[in-house]
Amino acid sequence: MTAFPPHPPDGLPMPGRFAHLHPDDGACLMESAALLAGRGFTDSPAGTHPALAALARVVNDSVADATRHALWPLAAELADARPLDRAYAPLLVGTVVDAARVLRPASRRLARHGRACRRRSEKLAHLRAGGMPSSVADLLWWRGPGRRYLEDALRVLCAAPDADQRLAGLLRKAVSEARDDVARDGRMSAGKGRCNR
């Protein structure tokens, strides 16, 4: 993996909050990831799992400038962080919900969301995308309860007195785990290719 400086190299936009119309105006973490991947200027690049991109956008928009600049090197890793495991989204959302429950352990809502994520991830464990029906089911979960659970948990985390530290740590961990999953998926695919010869 290439080491990146703590600030964008010449030619890349400066890190900033929210979405931008053009790189001259700056770029959020996900827009930087898209540029580094050569996929145009968007905050939803194809190489990043939608749940991870959603987390990165909220973290980018919620932390102070110094923390955002410190997170900039993650853009390169986010550019290629789309695990194939169908359980990835509920696992990620469940991790964020668990982090919020540390702050609000008595929250029944967060406990319910955490259980729902665990049930879904257990159900989907080790299943890979299997065509249109599974893709539609995963999309419906992510666009419905999955996104709602993530947003509820992030509201709790953003209100914490040490929100910058918690959010930055959560995003770093999520990116590292996604990259590990992508690397494992690549090894599995390579192994399958050798067996088929």
Side-chain angles (χ1 to χ4, degrees):
M1 180 167 57
T2 306
F4 286 88
H7 53 81
D10 290 340
L12 282 176
M14 289 301 295
R17 280 190 168 124
F18 310 117
H20 302 82
L21 295 175
H22 192 272
D24 290 346
D25 302 325
C28 76
L29 193 55
M30 289 311 307
E31 291 164 341
S32 296
L35 288 173
L36 288 169
R39 296 198 171 123
F41 192 65
T42 176
D43 65 358
S44 300
T48 309
H49 193 284
L52 181 57
L55 172 62
R57 285 190 296 270
V58 171
V59 171
N60 177 84
D61 296 347
S62 301
V63 298
D65 288 343
T67 304
R68 186 176 311 103
H69 285 265
L71 291 172
W72 183 87
L74 290 179
E77 295 178 52
L78 281 162
D80 183 25
R82 192 177 187 113
L84 300 177
D85 187 351
R86 291 182 61 203
Y88 175 76
L91 284 170
L92 174 62
V93 174
T95 298
V96 178
V97 169
D98 289 346
R101 289 194 66 208
V102 169
L103 295 169
R104 291 203 187 150
S107 171
R108 291 182 186 168
R109 170 182 266 199
L110 290 173
R112 197 169 53 249
H113 292 174
R115 284 191 303 272
C117 288
R118 278 189 294 282
R119 279 193 306 269
R120 182 161 181 84
S121 64
E122 288 166 5
K123 179 181 170 184
L124 299 176
H126 309 296
L127 294 179
R128 295 169 77 78
M132 186 63 77
S134 61
S135 296
V136 169
D138 293 345
L139 183 64
L140 289 174
W141 183 84
W142 167 241
R143 294 258 173 107
R147 185 175 297 211
R148 189 173 66 248
Y149 299 163
L150 182 68
E151 290 170 353
D152 286 350
L154 285 170
R155 270 193 289 279
V156 171
L157 290 163
C158 287
D162 57 347
D164 274 25
Q165 179 183 351
R166 288 177 188 271
L167 292 169
L170 195 57
L171 182 59
R172 284 187 178 101
K173 179 181 177 195
V175 171
S176 174
E177 289 174 354
R179 297 287 297 150
D180 288 347
D181 287 354
V182 167
R184 187 184 67 244
D185 290 342
R187 284 193 303 272
M188 287 170 57
S189 296
K192 286 180 182 175
R194 283 192 297 272
C195 291
N196 289 335
R197 288 185 182 162

